[in-house]
Amino acid sequence: MPRGKKSKVRAREKRRHNRAETQGLKDAQAATAEEEVATLSSSSDCVDGPSTSVVASTLPAPPSVQATTSATVGASCKRSDARGRSHGKKNKNSSQASTSTKSSGDVLLAKKSGVLVQFLLHKYKMNEPMRKADMLKIVHKRYREQFPEMLKSASVSLDLAFGLELKEIKPNSHSYALVCKSDDTSDGSLRSAVQFPTRGILMPLLGVIFLRHKSAPEEDIWKILNMWGIYDGKRHFIFGEPRKLITQDLVKEKYLEYRQVPNSDPPRFEFLWGSRAHAEISKMKVLEFLSKINGFSPRDFPCHYEQALRDDEERAQATAATMAGTTSKSSGDSRATTSHYSHPE
């Protein structure tokens, strides 16, 4: 066999071996995460929260991380498909090939949607027009038919993660604008209380703290932020300086509490929900936020779900008590006024 052909064969074998090892590692990691989630879901003990890896896999990553990850996976899928075609293995593993094709389509959708999210966020921050023609250039015109689904997916991500609603300026104008949602916070949605871009990092952080049962060590918070491509000391294109945002800005606004762990030596720090977060957002809304982003049910975490139900009940009772007090005071004032006019001095 010619030397060049031998080198190509060896290279192919090496790539195949590496892919097998990588897939094996991914399968092992997925199995471990599933076991931890299953253990957490079946346990009635709420003392210990899930591990950092489980929390990280549960929470949504910013669009930039999703797009980068999807791009890598998408490229890998394309190379794998090309090699499969070159070897002509048409009749082998047909079911796997069908699954792979569907998976590749999902990966492509996620990748292109992530690119659209980044594009729209950039245009929003720069106060520039958002035109369909420009978006098609970004995702490539060959995906014109899939574009509506990609745009819909991007719109959902922008709504859930950042509280931004994508609207067409005029019917059939193919020009869009992002609008901050201004819903009432009485439903615990936190939409109008925290606007873009803070909402995109605050809601996931509140989720981390809740899943870890009331507090989360600072080192765990940074591990999760690092998984999302957000690093201490490195300015983020959406969130700015992350340390200042989470340890100063959100603390000053009382959405987060940042304190030293008691009796820790050397000093360690942890994050908790701030008083304003407790007042303006319910634990159930946090679970619902996570479920919408990741496609699971709040009931998948029964311990946290029970806590959220109790929180809702306490909120309802407090609201009822406040309304009863207000009604009673109003009635008393009314009776006093009537008595005053009925019995003049």
Side-chain angles (χ1 to χ4, degrees):
M1 183 181 294
R3 184 178 300 175
K5 190 169 292 185
K6 286 183 179 179
S7 299
K8 290 181 179 179
V9 171
R10 282 197 296 269
R12 281 197 298 268
E13 290 298 329
K14 186 176 180 179
R15 288 195 295 268
R16 188 178 297 111
H17 178 70
N18 290 338
R19 286 199 308 275
E21 286 186 344
T22 302
Q23 186 60 46
L25 178 60
K26 288 180 179 179
D27 291 343
Q29 291 174 335
T32 301
E34 287 177 3
E35 289 175 2
E36 292 189 46
V37 171
T39 301
L40 175 66
S41 300
S42 62
S43 173
S44 60
D45 184 7
C46 284
V47 176
D48 297 321
S51 68
T52 302
S53 61
V54 172
V55 173
S57 65
T58 302
L59 293 166
S64 56
V65 178
Q66 292 175 342
T68 303
T69 304
S70 299
T72 304
V73 175
S76 175
C77 288
K78 290 178 181 178
R79 288 195 297 270
S80 177
D81 290 344
R83 281 193 291 269
R85 286 193 298 270
S86 66
H87 286 289
K89 297 180 180 179
K90 297 179 180 179
N91 298 322
K92 187 177 181 180
N93 298 327
S94 59
S95 61
Q96 293 180 1
S98 176
T99 303
S100 176
T101 301
K102 184 178 184 299
S103 176
S104 297
D106 293 339
V107 166
L108 177 64
L109 174 62
K111 173 189 172 183
K112 297 298 184 181
S113 297
V115 170
L116 282 176
V117 168
Q118 293 182 74
F119 173 80
L120 292 169
L121 287 175
H122 173 74
K123 291 292 186 181
Y124 179 74
K125 291 188 72 174
M126 300 301 293
N127 196 26
E128 295 177 352
M130 308 170 191
R131 292 185 286 261
K132 179 180 178 180
D134 296 329
M135 286 186 262
L136 280 172
K137 290 178 183 177
I138 295 295
V139 301
H140 204 287
K141 291 183 179 180
R142 74 164 67 105
Y143 300 114
R144 184 183 297 274
E145 292 184 2
Q146 294 90 344
F147 177 77
E149 188 176 0
M150 293 172 182
L151 188 61
K152 181 180 179 181
S153 177
S155 178
V156 170
S157 296
L158 289 164
D159 179 14
L160 292 175
F162 297 101
L164 295 173
E165 184 177 5
L166 183 67
K167 290 187 174 183
E168 192 170 14
I169 296 175
K170 292 181 180 179
N172 301 318
S173 66
H174 304 303
S175 293
Y176 300 84
L178 284 174
V179 180
C180 281
K181 287 201 166 185
S182 56
D183 297 351
D184 185 1
T185 57
S186 60
D187 67 345
S189 67
L190 198 67
R191 288 190 187 277
S192 64
V194 179
Q195 298 292 353
F196 174 85
T198 306
R199 174 185 162 85
I201 198 171
L202 177 58
M203 285 295 281
L205 288 184
L206 292 177
V208 172
I209 296 167
F210 180 48
L211 291 179
R212 293 303 300 265
H213 300 298
K214 297 185 179 180
S215 67
E218 181 179 10
E219 55 268 28
D220 282 6
I221 292 293
W222 283 112
K223 284 179 184 177
I224 291 171
L225 291 178
N226 290 170
M227 292 176 186
W228 299 343
I230 302 174
Y231 301 96
D232 188 8
K234 184 177 180 181
R235 188 172 183 82
H236 192 269
F237 88 105
I238 295 177
F239 304 115
E241 169 44 49
R243 173 167 287 278
K244 180 178 180 295
L245 177 60
I246 67 175
T247 65
Q248 295 181 37
D249 299 343
L250 292 175
V251 172
K252 183 178 180 180
E253 295 176 10
K254 301 187 183 301
Y255 284 114
L256 292 177
E257 182 181 345
Y258 180 62
R259 71 182 186 186
Q260 183 176 338
V261 177
N263 303 319
S264 59
D265 186 21
R268 293 184 296 107
F269 293 84
E270 62 184 359
F271 287 90
L272 300 86
W273 281 35
S275 58
R276 193 172 174 186
H278 279 292
E280 295 181 359
I281 185 169
S282 69
K283 293 179 175 62
M284 187 62 75
K285 284 297 178 181
V286 170
L287 284 182
E288 290 175 353
F289 168 80
L290 298 177
S291 68
K292 288 178 182 178
I293 287 284
N294 295 282
F296 68 79
S297 168
R299 295 176 183 271
D300 290 341
F301 293 95
C303 177
H304 297 83
Y305 184 71
E306 289 176 8
Q307 288 184 19
L309 285 177
R310 287 197 297 271
D311 178 64
D312 277 356
E313 290 176 1
E314 291 171 1
R315 285 172 174 272
Q317 291 172 2
T319 301
T322 301
M323 293 180 65
T326 302
T327 302
S328 176
K329 185 177 183 302
S330 299
S331 299
D333 292 344
S334 177
R335 285 195 298 271
T337 302
T338 302
S339 176
H340 174 76
Y341 285 105
S342 301
H343 304 282
E345 293 182 359

